[in-house]
Amino acid sequence: MFARNAFRSVQSVKTSVRHYATEPAKTSSNTALYLGLAAAAGAGGYYYLNSGKGAAAPASKDEAKSIPKQAGEKSLAFKGGDQGFIDLKLASVEEINHNTKRFKFALPNEDDISGMVVCSALLTKFQGPGMEKPVIRPYTPTSDPDTKGYLELIVKRYPNGPMSEHFHDLKPDQRLEFKGPIPKYAWTPNKHDHIALIAGGTGITPMWQLAQAIFKNPEDKTKVTLVFGNISEQDILLKKEFEALENTYPNRFKAFYVLDNPPKEWAGGKGFITKDLLKTVLPEPKSENIKLFVCGPPPLYKALSGVKKSPTDQGDFTGALKELGYNADQVYKF
């Protein structure tokens, strides 16, 4: 059944689960690099006469940039495969709250789109002074994949988090290396009748990527339920964007917010994302063609679905979702 219009307030659970809404996820130092989807937009077929002898020579890089793209042809910044890392210039920085910023990076060309697919991520890399090895971390862009000329990332600063601290120290016109797209869960319109997005903290970014793709496509009729846990109201990222979806698609999108430290006037859930809350708002386990997506710090995975072993291994399926009767095939851990 689709999520209810209202749900009961959730009391703080008396467990040893830590405040997962803001805890940084532990990341392996050996981050795996995956093969992306190979795509190339070239300037094929363009030649010019050389030295008046009629000999054909390929266009130079500068000349190729000036050749108009054929109708419907897209220029992709990230092509996957063996492209390697490319560096992008930081165009602007916007402060969202006390520890989170939105970063806008310019793509190599004004007409480029990112080349991201749904669902996929980018790898970021930097190597500071005195570092023996570069730091590599995955992030999911929050800008529409079809946006021309730039991409946006929302990054929360974590104490002793080398990449997030590096992000927050960046100034406009400085550069950062990126590689992608790194495919995650391959989405096609109407792949599932109803999906649930269960997130904590910055685990919301892949959820937004998926929701954005669903509701921008008039052919996709998927129903979506969001359950989003945070410490405080100021920590709720992309709330305006999700509220716009709920107002535009009231019969297909429902959002439920849970705060560990809510204000007095807070009418939503209180404490943690619990089994009782999920039982109230999620589609029934016996429903056909549903999918539950989970993303957040390790304590969230541990409590709800079991922790991923690696980017390619979903790990054991445990926790509240299993206790509620869902099976491993119905759950995907970002």
Side-chain angles (χ1 to χ4, degrees):
M1 100 179 16
F2 191 42
R4 286 75 167 167
N5 291 330
F7 65 96
R8 55 187 148 167
S9 297
V10 182
Q11 300 299 322
S12 300
V13 291
K14 297 179 181 180
T15 68
S16 60
V17 177
R18 298 167 65 184
H19 291 187
Y20 53 72
T22 57
E23 180 178 332
K26 297 179 182 178
T27 311
S28 170
S29 59
N30 296 320
T31 306
L33 302 182
Y34 303 97
L35 291 179
L37 301 176
Y46 176 77
Y47 293 95
Y48 64 92
L49 296 179
N50 182 30
S51 302
K53 298 180 181 179
S60 67
K61 290 183 179 180
D62 290 338
E63 290 169 325
K65 289 181 180 180
S66 68
I67 302 171
K69 292 284 187 294
Q70 295 181 4
E73 186 179 0
K74 295 181 179 180
S75 176
L76 309 181
F78 297 101
K79 304 177 177 66
D82 59 358
Q83 181 187 32
F85 283 86
I86 61 174
D87 67 321
L88 300 181
K89 183 173 71 174
L90 179 61
S92 64
V93 181
E94 175 191 353
E95 186 170 309
I96 296 177
N97 60 32
H98 63 102
N99 63 3
T100 307
K101 295 180 179 179
R102 179 183 281 107
F103 298 85
K104 182 177 180 179
F105 287 88
L107 298 177
N109 302 294
E110 291 183 357
D111 290 335
D112 286 349
I113 61 173
S114 66
M116 302 300 293
V117 296
V118 181
C119 302
S120 67
L122 288 173
L123 294 178
T124 59
K125 181 176 74 170
F126 94 101
Q127 186 167 2
M131 288 185 174
E132 294 183 3
K133 296 181 179 180
V135 177
I136 299 176
R137 295 289 186 272
Y139 288 92
T140 304
T142 53
S143 49
D144 189 316
D146 290 328
T147 299
K148 289 186 177 182
Y150 69 89
L151 63 81
E152 290 183 343
L153 297 168
I154 291 178
V155 180
K156 180 175 289 189
R157 184 171 195 158
Y158 294 110
N160 302 315
M163 182 59 80
S164 69
E165 289 187 342
H166 179 67
F167 257 106
H168 279 244
D169 290 339
L170 287 173
K171 301 294 187 295
D173 294 332
Q174 292 184 312
R175 307 183 80 89
L176 185 66
E177 291 188 273
F178 293 85
K179 176 182 173 64
I182 311 302
K184 297 293 184 179
Y185 188 84
W187 181 260
T188 54
N190 303 301
K191 185 170 185 175
H192 301 289
D193 296 332
H194 189 174
I195 65 171
L197 312 176
I198 308 169
T202 51
I204 196 64
T205 56
M207 309 303 194
W208 171 244
Q209 184 189 63
L210 179 51
Q212 184 177 216
I214 289 172
F215 289 105
K216 71 174 285 189
N217 184 351
E219 302 301 320
D220 199 331
K221 305 301 181 182
T222 307
K223 292 181 179 180
V224 181
T225 297
L226 170 67
V227 183
F228 190 14
N230 286 279
I231 293 295
S232 69
E233 191 170 10
Q234 291 71 33
D235 293 318
I236 303 176
L237 303 176
L238 297 165
K239 188 178 182 183
K240 289 182 180 179
E241 289 83 348
F242 282 115
E243 286 178 339
L245 290 183
E246 196 162 24
N247 290 333
T248 307
Y249 306 97
N251 296 320
R252 290 178 51 211
F253 181 76
K254 299 291 182 183
F256 301 93
Y257 302 98
V258 181
L259 297 181
D260 185 41
N261 185 24
K264 291 183 179 179
E265 66 278 10
W266 180 252
K270 300 176 182 179
F272 300 102
I273 297 175
T274 65
K275 182 168 69 173
D276 286 342
L277 169 61
L278 297 177
K279 183 179 181 179
T280 304
V281 303
L282 296 186
E284 296 288 344
K286 295 181 181 179
S287 302
E288 293 184 5
N289 198 20
I290 64 170
K291 196 76 172 184
L292 314 182
F293 296 89
V294 182
C295 190
L300 180 141
Y301 288 112
K302 183 178 180 180
L304 302 183
S305 63
V307 180
K308 286 178 64 175
K309 285 188 177 180
S310 73
T312 56
D313 187 341
Q314 288 279 294
D316 294 334
F317 179 52
T318 60
L321 293 177
K322 183 175 182 179
E323 293 170 7
L324 287 171
Y326 298 97
N327 61 61
D329 291 336
Q330 292 175 309
V331 177
Y332 181 85
K333 309 169 194 177
F334 276 113

